[in-house]
Amino acid sequence: DSGVTQTPKHLITATGQRVTLRCSPRSGDLSVYWYQQSLDQGLQFLIQYYNGEERAKGNILERFSAQQFPDLHSELNLSSLELGDSALYFCASSPEVGNTEAFFGQGTRLTVV
Amino acid sequence: AQSVTQLDSHVSVSEGTPVLLRCNYSSSYSPSLFWYVQHPNKGLQLLLKYTSAATLVKGINGFEAEFKKSETSFHLTKPSAHMSDAAEYFCVVTPSGSARQLTFGSGTQLTVLP
């Protein structure tokens, strides 16, 4: 168990809908990262938050957004969902910016039908 | 810019024989390198990491990897495969000292035959 908790584990929704994925980092970790794992794109970095502020952005679509709350949990919001958004979404956490070890949650499997 | 190439998408070995999973990297900086393992329907687990200390890195479950700067490689090895090693393995690179954005390789699926 990595200590990173993601909910829900599975999510099935229709095209055009909006969903929210939640991540609770390991106790004491200030950085949260979101990754998308799909069959055609592999594992891709989406976005990083550190202590409530956005720190780095990767290949995140404009339809997607994230935030990190004062209690350090994070949410990834996906809107106007398309079939191609079906993927496994991972959250990872680490103690601080620059620390290069990440601990991953078990992921949320999103299926868009 | 940084990138990772995992040279084999699938590797099959017999139980008890050595494992070699190959990884080459490209990085503009002195990189940190990792191997992660993903078992079916599980999250990603860190196997080992290289962060500019010893070039031979020992990880969990008997795995180790050697950082070779001249060859830009970071191959993962294990002397004797176990059935429980069957999983997907990812080589990962990130530039040291920067805001961390892990760049993942495409993964190597390891099958262990009885």
Side-chain angles (χ1 to χ4, degrees), chain A residues 33 35 37 43 45 48 55-58 88 90 93-94 97-106, chain B residues 32 34 36 38 41-44 46 49 51 88 90 94-102 104-105:
Chain A
Y33 309 79
Y35 288 84
Q37 185 179 32
L43 262 156
F45 168 72
Q48 176 199 357
R55 257 329 150 96
K57 246 181 179 176
L88 192 51
F90 284 109
S93 75
S94 73
V97 173
N99 181 301
T100 57
E101 183 165 342
F103 296 87
F104 282 79
Q106 293 208 340
Chain B
S32 292
F34 308 83
Y36 280 86
Q38 185 179 24
N41 300 314
K42 298 280 189 185
L44 292 153
L46 180 67
K49 63 179 178 180
T51 54
E88 188 151 25
F90 293 93
T94 185
S96 293
S98 74
R100 188 157 48 102
Q101 301 178 39
L102 303 180
F104 282 78

Side-chain angles (χ1 to χ4, degrees), chain B:
Chain B
Q2 56 193 20
S3 65
V4 174
T5 302
Q6 291 185 242
L7 298 168
D8 307 293
S9 57
H10 291 87
V11 170
S12 287
V13 301
S14 297
E15 191 174 20
T17 64
V19 176
L20 170 63
L21 306 183
R22 298 181 296 164
C23 171
N24 286 350
Y25 71 91
S26 170
S27 178
S28 303
Y29 306 91
S30 295
S32 292
L33 292 154
F34 308 83
W35 278 96
Y36 280 86
V37 62
Q38 185 179 24
H39 287 93
N41 300 314
K42 298 280 189 185
L44 292 153
Q45 182 184 20
L46 180 67
L47 273 181
L48 49 79
K49 63 179 178 180
Y50 166 78
T51 54
S52 76
T55 56
L56 183 61
V57 182
K58 293 190 186 298
I60 62 171
N61 301 334
F63 285 94
E64 60 182 42
E66 186 171 7
F67 174 72
K68 291 187 177 180
K69 187 174 181 180
S70 60
E71 298 176 12
T72 61
S73 69
F74 190 58
H75 302 334
L76 182 70
T77 61
K78 183 173 181 177
S80 175
H82 191 273
M83 295 297 290
S84 62
D85 294 329
E88 188 151 25
Y89 292 79
F90 293 93
C91 183
V92 182
V93 65
T94 185
S96 293
S98 74
R100 188 157 48 102
Q101 301 178 39
L102 303 180
T103 298
F104 282 78
S106 54
T108 298
Q109 184 67 46
L110 176 65
T111 299
V112 182
L113 305 170

Side-chain angles (χ1 to χ4, degrees), chain A residues 9-58:
Chain A
K9 286 190 169 50
H10 302 274
L11 198 49
I12 301 175
T13 189
T15 54
Q17 295 299 304
R18 172 189 169 94
V19 297
T20 297
L21 312 184
R22 183 188 168 99
C23 170
S24 294
R26 292 189 325 152
S27 177
D29 284 358
L30 299 180
S31 270
V32 170
Y33 309 79
W34 286 96
Y35 288 84
Q36 180 194 58
Q37 185 179 32
S38 60
L39 284 175
D40 54 343
Q41 299 284 337
L43 262 156
Q44 292 202 61
F45 168 72
L46 294 178
I47 197 164
Q48 176 199 357
Y49 276 81
Y50 173 74
N51 203 20
E53 293 188 3
E54 182 183 305
R55 257 329 150 96
K57 246 181 179 176

